[in-house]
Amino acid sequence: MLRKYLKIAVIALLVVASTEAKSQNIQLHYDFGRHLYSSAEADRQKVTVTYETFKADKLGSWFYFVDLDLRNDGASGAYTEVSREFSLGSQSPFAAHVEFDGGLNLYGSFQNAILAGPAYNGHSADFSKTWSVQLLYRQTLKSGEKKALAGFQLTGVWGLTLAQGKWTFSGYADLWNGFIPKWDADGQKKGLAFMTEPQLWYNISKAVSIGTEVEVSHNFIYSTDGSDKSIYVNPTLALKFNL
């Protein structure tokens, strides 16, 4: 599923801690993964709607998003991430980052996680280039038969505005340790997982963009055909509406 937030569009606002700012958007993604991996991803959703909100204040910023996976008969899953950053000085690029991740689908709830750690946010002089690096302690919570697990997550985020604002290239990359979609005699298996979702948008106007997102993951997706495949590349065709 489309797991992550478009943090990139927000980073330029993150660094302007002295002013209050707010942005929100709705994205509609048609996912081609089910067509590309008809056996291994037979249950993958085709349509995902994402709602995102960012708000800066004098202490830092709030950001959250919700993904809804849709089928013909309604929603089949939901995933959310809520984060808060506290600026460590008005001129400092460092911030304290706290985050909650969780959701559910037709097969049950996802394993919720709480993350905390430092973030480094930066930008070019004209804000056409933005970036963020976060090194986080990651604690998953016990859920049914799923065990709690302490670990780490390294996140990198970037954003580039090109051609006088007509194009936006943005994305993130996550590397974390946790339970991976492989099983052994003792139950859940631990390992490293990776995911990145670069996005390319053509900005038709300030309100509407058309583009694509390409989800590349390793040790993240459970194969529905029992294969040992661990790397998946799932592109989308997308519309974004800035509210």
Side-chain angles (χ1 to χ4, degrees):
M1 85 186 266
L2 296 169
R3 178 181 169 268
K4 272 287 183 178
Y5 33 106
L6 185 60
K7 297 185 253 188
I8 304 85
V10 165
I11 296 299
L13 298 175
L14 266 172
V15 295
V16 189
S18 60
T19 62
E20 292 194 358
K22 183 175 181 179
S23 67
Q24 51 189 337
N25 68 75
I26 294 176
Q27 301 173 27
L28 179 64
H29 290 262
Y30 184 86
D31 194 298
F32 294 96
R34 190 169 174 178
H35 302 290
L36 295 174
Y37 309 101
S38 58
S39 177
E41 291 193 291
D43 292 337
R44 188 178 179 89
Q45 86 292 335
K46 292 183 179 179
V47 177
T48 296
V49 174
T50 299
Y51 172 73
E52 297 177 335
T53 293
F54 167 83
K55 187 178 188 303
D57 54 41
K58 294 180 180 179
L59 297 178
S61 64
W62 283 100
F63 177 78
Y64 72 86
F65 82 93
V66 177
D67 279 345
L68 293 177
D69 297 331
L70 304 181
R71 306 192 314 178
N72 291 339
D73 56 354
S76 62
Y79 179 81
T80 186
E81 293 189 5
V82 182
S83 65
R84 171 72 197 189
E85 287 203 351
F86 296 94
S87 300
L88 301 180
S90 59
Q91 302 299 318
S92 174
F94 292 97
H97 184 101
V98 182
E99 183 176 324
F100 170 82
D101 304 344
L104 74 166
N105 60 21
L106 296 176
Y107 305 102
S109 63
F110 300 145
Q111 195 164 16
N112 296 336
I114 298 174
L115 302 92
Y120 179 87
N121 303 316
H123 62 90
S124 62
D126 60 358
F127 289 92
S128 63
K129 302 178 181 66
T130 60
W131 58 87
S132 177
V133 179
Q134 303 157 17
L135 180 59
L136 306 174
Y137 169 81
R138 188 173 190 268
Q139 176 68 59
T140 59
L141 308 179
K142 188 178 186 302
S143 176
E145 296 181 356
K146 299 176 181 178
K147 305 171 186 177
L149 179 66
F152 77 91
Q153 180 169 306
L154 177 63
T155 294
V157 182
W158 72 90
L160 297 174
T161 301
L162 308 169
Q164 297 181 333
K166 279 297 184 182
W167 291 90
T168 302
F169 176 60
S170 55
Y172 79 92
D174 281 343
L175 175 70
W176 72 96
N177 72 324
F179 296 120
I180 61 176
K182 297 180 184 294
W183 297 86
D184 55 24
D186 297 325
Q188 290 170 303
K189 186 174 181 180
K190 300 175 185 177
L192 287 175
F194 173 80
M195 175 177 283
T196 183
E197 287 186 351
Q199 296 184 339
L200 181 64
W201 298 98
Y202 175 72
N203 303 310
I204 300 172
S205 67
K206 290 183 178 180
V208 181
S209 302
I210 186 171
T212 182
E213 176 181 82
V214 182
E215 177 193 279
V216 182
S217 66
H218 174 60
N219 280 341
F220 177 71
I221 293 174
Y222 282 84
S223 172
T224 57
D225 62 1
S227 70
D228 291 330
K229 183 177 178 60
S230 62
I231 298 176
Y232 290 84
V233 179
N234 293 299
T236 75
L237 180 63
L239 281 172
K240 181 171 66 172
F241 303 92
N242 294 309
L243 305 179

